[in-house]
């Protein structure tokens, strides 16, 4: 009898039916997209229409609070000390056309310290210039062909091509990401570029939020709406902005924040909570970024929460297989940029990120721009491949797959020219 019971228990454990999310294959068919209706960005939770910009500013606060509570988690206010240490400086970069420097930002709070390294490039025009700011995936040395930029010592994802193993980076990755960060082209167009390694801001693994910038707030009692890693990366971008406000080469009122993929999600959240970012760019950010969650196309809320439990607030799990219950959807995240320009880019083969859902999000955010008398997304039908559309919301679907490519940068530079 005992053995029989044991077998029964084991049987339930090993042969128990998988949860619905494990069974479901990602949907890549338009016909498989459920019927859905999107929450209205211009309607207060209690009802009542947003008719004026003043109403929107109230509604905006309500939306930020909803995204904090249900999606990204609430980041703490920064009440520590920021100290910038110059690591190296080369005023004769690119045959004297530009400067490049390395700066270590030390964040100190209540006896604790976290630091991350910035790599800055800017044209030697003698005038302050606009700039792009973005987190990178594999360390600042991947944006440099020479040894002046040290290899990051922080935790890193293992990747053979980038030469990282045992969660440590190596010289193998040096310069490998220059094509994704074409600083020469950016500089020749009159812009600066600031990049930093995201793993120095918050290592990308589930450690119970003890390391990275979370470690600066040990007194924080975590709850279902506490900040996850995406919010941590976004918070780090705001600290870089604090620093840039004191830099003489840059026009701090013309800083565009940009990110690819998970870092595109972080760039959007940074732009939503910190209005100092004058322009916001999402490159292939997909689920939890620019794509509409309710479409359940490609990556879904359930998939992303199970694969990356540390990215979002714990509350976001309530919406696994339950997107219709979300009080927000991602078009409202784009709307939080208004009236500032925002650009969303997809890759046509990057179906996991739902290119069409990213485009529809731009369309559904546009009424908020209209409230400001601005044109958001100029078209309502998804433009053909490699034909960008630029209103105050920009969009393109590029040929090819998931990646931050020179083609994407050309559009971002044009979009910045248009608006700066
Ligand atoms: C994927 C994840 C996406 C995207 C991507 C990336 O594994 O499912 O949401 O963020 O990683 O960051 O490259």
């Amino acid at each position: 009898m005992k053995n029989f019971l044991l077998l029964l228990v084991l049987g339930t454990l090993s042969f128990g039916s998988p949860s619905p999310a494990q069974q479901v294959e990602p949907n890549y068919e338009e016909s498989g997209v459920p019927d859905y209706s999107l929450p209205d960005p211009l309607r207060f939770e209690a009802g009542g229409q947003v008719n004026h910009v003043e109403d929107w500013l109230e509604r905006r606060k309500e939306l930020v609070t909803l995204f904090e509570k249900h999606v990204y988690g609430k980041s703490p206010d920064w009440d520590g000390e920021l100290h910038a240490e110059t690591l190296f400086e080369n005023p004769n970069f690119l045959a004297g056309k530009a400067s490049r420097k390395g700066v270590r930002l030390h964040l100190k709070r209540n006896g604790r310290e976290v630091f991350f390294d910035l790599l800055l490039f800017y044209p030697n025009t003698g005038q302050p210039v606009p700039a792009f700011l973005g987190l990178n995936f594999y360390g600042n040395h991947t944006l440099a062909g020479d040894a002046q930029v040290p290899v990051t010592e922080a935790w890193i994802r293992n990747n053979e091509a980038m030469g990282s193993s045992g969660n440590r980076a190596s010289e193998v990755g040096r310069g490998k990401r220059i094509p994704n960060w074409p600083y020469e082209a950016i500089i020749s167009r009159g812009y600066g570029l600031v990049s930093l390694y995201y793993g120095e801001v918050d290592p990308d693994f589930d450690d119970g939020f003890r390391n990275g910038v979370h470690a600066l707030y040990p007194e924080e009692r975590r709850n279902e709406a506490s900040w996850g890693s995406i919010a941590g990366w976004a918070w780090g971008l705001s600290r870089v902005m604090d620093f840039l406000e004191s830099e003489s080469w840059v026009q701090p009122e013309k800083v565009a924040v940009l990110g690819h993929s998970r870092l595109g999600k972080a760039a959007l959240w940074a732009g939503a909570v910190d209005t100092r970012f004058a322009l916001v760019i999402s490159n292939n950010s997909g689920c939890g970024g620019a794509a509409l969650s309710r479409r359940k196309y490609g990556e879904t809320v359930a998939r992303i929460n199970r694969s990356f439990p540390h990215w979002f607030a714990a509350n976001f799990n309530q919406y696994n297989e339950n997107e219709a219950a979300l009080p927000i959807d991602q078009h409202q995240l784009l709307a939080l940029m208004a009236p500032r320009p925002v650009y969303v880019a997809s890759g046509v083969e990057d179906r996991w990120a739902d290119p069409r859902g990213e485009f529809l999000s731009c369309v559904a955010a546009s009424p908020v721009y209209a409230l400001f008398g601005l044109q958001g997304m100029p078209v309502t039908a998804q433009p053909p491949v490699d034909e960008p559309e630029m209103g105050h919301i920009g969009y393109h679907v590029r040929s090819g797959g998931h990646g931050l490519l020179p083609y994407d940068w050309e559009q971002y530079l044009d979009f910045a020219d248009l608006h700066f």
Side-chain angles (χ1 to χ4, degrees):
M1 183 63 181
K2 249 194 207 156
N3 283 349
F4 174 73
L5 278 178
L6 186 69
L7 274 176
L8 208 70
V9 172
L10 284 176
T12 346
L13 285 178
S14 45
F15 303 117
S17 45
S19 73
Q22 286 166 326
Q23 284 174 341
V24 174
E25 284 300 308
N27 171 47
Y28 289 131
E29 299 298 332
E30 271 313 303
S31 58
V33 171
D35 288 333
Y36 62 89
S37 64
L38 292 177
D40 186 345
L42 294 178
R43 209 165 173 80
F44 287 100
E45 292 309 291
Q49 196 64 25
V50 172
N51 292 314
H52 310 283
V53 168
E54 300 76 62
D55 299 341
W56 167 251
L57 297 177
E58 281 311 303
R59 170 64 172 145
R60 193 185 184 286
K61 284 186 208 156
E62 191 171 69
L63 282 171
V64 169
T65 306
L66 289 170
F67 275 106
E68 284 176 340
K69 181 164 174 205
H70 299 276
V71 185
Y72 302 104
K74 184 165 170 47
S75 303
D77 293 332
W78 174 229
D79 56 359
E81 262 174 67
L82 198 73
H83 164 65
E85 175 196 358
T86 302
L87 301 176
F88 55 86
E89 201 161 2
N90 179 1
N92 283 311
F93 193 62
L94 297 178
K97 267 197 294 188
S99 298
R100 186 185 71 182
K101 64 177 179 174
V103 171
R104 179 161 292 178
L105 271 194
H106 298 266
L107 278 63
K108 291 186 188 163
R109 183 177 182 273
N110 292 344
R112 300 198 168 228
E113 179 180 336
V114 165
F115 63 80
F116 35 83
D117 290 355
L118 313 181
L119 185 61
L120 307 98
F121 305 84
Y122 48 94
N124 287 335
T125 51
Q127 299 288 331
V129 293
F132 292 88
L133 162 63
L135 296 159
N136 65 65
F137 274 92
Y138 286 101
N140 292 349
H141 65 290
T142 65
L143 278 65
D146 59 287
Q148 192 176 42
V149 181
V151 172
T152 181
E153 286 172 12
W155 177 96
I156 198 155
R157 283 196 295 159
N158 294 335
N159 179 315
E160 209 180 317
M162 301 305 290
S164 51
S165 62
N167 299 120
R168 289 287 164 251
S170 77
E171 279 293 336
V172 175
R174 182 168 297 289
K176 288 250 161 76
R177 287 291 160 109
I178 296 174
N180 311 99
W181 298 90
Y183 54 75
E184 224 174 312
I186 296 168
I187 286 164
S188 68
R189 295 276 298 257
Y191 291 84
L193 172 66
V194 181
S195 190
L196 66 157
Y197 170 50
Y198 87 126
E200 291 179 5
V201 178
D202 192 32
D204 193 359
F205 64 93
D206 191 7
D207 79 321
F209 304 98
R210 279 186 295 273
N211 59 18
V213 292
H214 292 100
L216 291 168
Y217 294 85
E219 76 279 14
E220 197 192 56
R221 305 251 323 258
R222 286 198 67 86
N223 61 51
E224 302 298 289
S226 292
W227 55 333
S229 288
I230 291 173
W233 299 322
W235 187 91
L237 288 166
S238 286
R239 303 293 70 78
V240 179
M241 192 66 208
D242 296 343
F243 161 72
L244 290 178
E245 286 184 321
S246 67
E247 282 283 278
S248 60
W249 63 268
V250 66
Q251 292 177 284
E253 72 286 3
K254 290 188 182 170
V255 173
V257 65
L258 139 155
H260 168 62
S261 205
R262 67 197 66 185
L263 303 179
K265 309 180 211 292
L268 287 172
W269 185 234
V273 289
D274 190 340
T275 55
R276 291 175 299 173
F277 294 114
L279 192 153
V280 182
I281 300 167
S282 147
N283 193 84
N284 310 172
S285 63
C287 181
L292 295 172
S293 300
R294 279 171 173 75
R295 278 173 48 82
K296 302 185 182 190
Y297 185 105
E299 186 170 35
T300 60
V301 172
R303 290 290 287 254
I304 205 166
N305 278 326
R306 296 204 172 105
S307 312
F308 307 102
H310 56 295
W311 282 5
F312 298 93
N315 273 336
F316 199 34
N317 283 297
Q318 292 172 24
Y319 306 101
N320 296 347
E321 317 298 343
N322 188 26
E323 290 84 349
L326 271 165
I328 46 73
D329 210 321
Q330 300 304 110
H331 62 304
Q332 293 169 314
L333 179 66
L334 299 185
L336 290 176
M337 313 309 160
R340 296 163 297 154
V342 57
Y343 198 107
V344 173
S346 312
V348 73
E349 288 162 24
D350 184 17
R351 295 182 308 161
W352 183 241
D354 188 11
R356 186 171 160 73
E358 296 190 313
F359 170 72
L360 292 174
S361 200
C362 296
V363 176
S366 295
V368 179
Y369 284 81
L371 195 72
F372 286 88
L374 300 170
Q375 186 183 45
M377 188 73 253
V379 293
T380 52
Q382 194 177 9
V385 169
D386 298 332
E387 289 185 27
E389 286 289 344
M390 298 187 196
H392 263 71
I393 305 178
Y395 177 82
H396 71 245
V397 54
R398 164 178 58 60
S399 37
H402 196 63
L404 174 58
L405 303 185
Y407 177 88
D408 301 310
W409 275 104
E410 280 168 38
Q411 314 321 314
Y412 303 152
L413 287 160
D414 287 352
F415 191 64
D417 281 355
L418 194 68
H419 291 289
F420 283 161

